[in-house]
Structures are given as structure tokens and as C-alpha cells.
Amino acid sequence: KVARCFADAGYAVAADSAATARLLGSSCGDVRVVSLDYADRRTLREAVRESGIDLVVSLARRRPESKADAAYAVRRMAVDFGIPLVNDPRCAEMLVDALAALPAGWAQRSLATPLEVRPWRQYLDQRTGASS
């Protein structure tokens, strides 16, 4: 559900193995395979930069048994490089539900110009129906 929602919202979905790409591709179409060498930090950083990874969703069913495990490595890579990481299935589902609830085009909207900052009192007045 998570990969399909991101794909439906217009995001590119990528996987770090062909097997995962095939599994995800059955529900969300085209999945790009990104080759990541978790053992070499320099090439890993370059591969992450070139592939444009903006979010990591890693929903391993069980805790990795060692640091050599790919599930551990992808999570560690996200943390080390400051990439947002979602590793809880319920949180991932809430994230895609929130994205789906946004008006069309909002998920890809660039926020280069920040949203208008309004006083907290204005929000409180809107909730209570009072006018300022």
C-alpha cells in the first residue's frame, strides 16, 4: 500500500535490490533499482546523492540479526546522511493517508516561499468562531 500510494502521488519509487523491485512493481508499476554499496561510505554517499533519495521507508518484519543485514544498512545509511526514515508500518500508513488527503498537487509543491505565518490567536479564533 505504501509504495503504491507514493507512486500514485507521482513520486519515483526505488528499491535496493531487484527482488524488492519486482515485489513492489507488482502493485505500483515501475520501480527503479538503485545499486547501493553499504560497505563503502564514499561510494554510498555519491550513489545516494545521484539517485535523489529524499525519503527511506524500510519496513523490515523483524529486527536485523547483524550490522551486515541490508535492512540495518539501509536504515543506518538514512540516519547517517540525514534522510528522513520511516521504519514503522503504522507510521508509514499514516504518512501515505496524510499525503492522499492533500489537495491535488500539494504533495509535489515546492515550499521555496514559506507559507504565511499568522498569529496563534487567529487560529484559536477560527476554531471557536470568534472574529478578530
Side-chain angles (χ1 to χ4, degrees):
K1 174 184 176 181
V2 174
R4 184 179 63 245
C5 182
F6 278 111
D8 290 348
Y11 292 102
V13 176
D16 64 349
S17 73
T20 303
R22 279 192 304 276
L23 181 68
L24 294 175
S26 66
S27 65
C28 67
D30 187 34
V31 177
R32 180 173 46 117
V33 177
V34 178
S35 178
L36 300 172
D37 179 6
Y38 297 112
D40 184 351
R41 307 287 296 164
R42 189 177 344 197
T43 59
L44 179 60
R45 180 176 296 278
E46 188 65 25
V48 167
R49 188 180 60 74
E50 287 177 1
S51 62
I53 297 172
D54 295 321
L55 172 70
V56 172
V57 179
S58 177
L59 304 177
R61 292 185 188 263
R62 59 189 182 302
R63 186 180 180 138
E65 294 180 17
S66 74
K67 291 182 178 181
D69 186 280
Y72 173 83
V74 74
R75 291 175 179 185
R76 185 75 229 178
M77 179 257 328
V79 171
D80 288 348
F81 297 151
I83 300 169
L85 168 67
V86 178
N87 62 1
D88 180 80
R90 289 185 63 208
C91 289
E93 206 166 311
M94 287 189 290
L95 175 62
V96 297
D97 290 344
L99 286 173
L102 288 173
W106 269 73
Q108 293 82 14
R109 183 176 164 194
S110 171
L111 294 178
T113 305
L115 299 175
E116 177 186 357
V117 177
R118 296 186 282 171
W120 184 243
R121 169 82 356 230
Q122 190 173 356
Y123 289 104
L124 294 176
D125 290 345
Q126 284 179 335
R127 283 187 76 194
T128 60
S131 60
S132 22

